[in-house]
Amino acid sequence: MPNSITFNQTTCKKCQLCAEVCPNKIPIKNELNEMVIRPNRQDLCFKCGQCMAVCSTRAIVVDGLSYEYDFSARTKFSEA
């Protein structure tokens, strides 16, 4: 069974950062301006979580990964 990757279209900003960082180029923007997965590439997902890590709105969920447990909060650094 292929990995489950879902996008919350309401919170997604369509910035396409997820598509840029995915090593297997699984996410893509479709003709309706929605981020979706390429069906023929979904089984290539090895749950690295890079797409989730770069999503500022937490709009992506990869089955088996959780923002609360698998990713630490981002820390903003001030310039000295």
Side-chain angles (χ1 to χ4, degrees), residues 16-65:
Q16 300 183 67
L17 283 175
C18 56
E20 289 181 34
V21 301
C22 178
N24 289 313
K25 305 300 180 203
I26 297 169
I28 189 171
K29 191 186 290 190
N30 69 10
E31 62 279 350
L32 300 174
N33 198 37
E34 297 173 327
M35 292 305 296
V36 296
I37 58 160
R38 298 174 198 243
N40 61 334
R41 300 190 70 79
Q42 183 174 1
D43 61 338
L44 298 176
C45 178
F46 54 92
K47 299 183 182 184
C48 67
Q50 291 187 59
C51 58
M52 289 177 66
V54 299
C55 186
S56 64
T57 62
R58 297 182 170 197
I60 306 168
V61 176
V62 176
D63 187 39
L65 297 179

Side-chain angles (χ1 to χ4, degrees), residues 5-21:
I5 305 164
T6 57
F7 293 86
N8 181 331
Q9 299 299 334
T10 304
T11 59
C12 178
K13 297 190 307 185
K14 292 24 169 212
C15 66
Q16 300 183 67
L17 283 175
C18 56
E20 289 181 34
V21 301

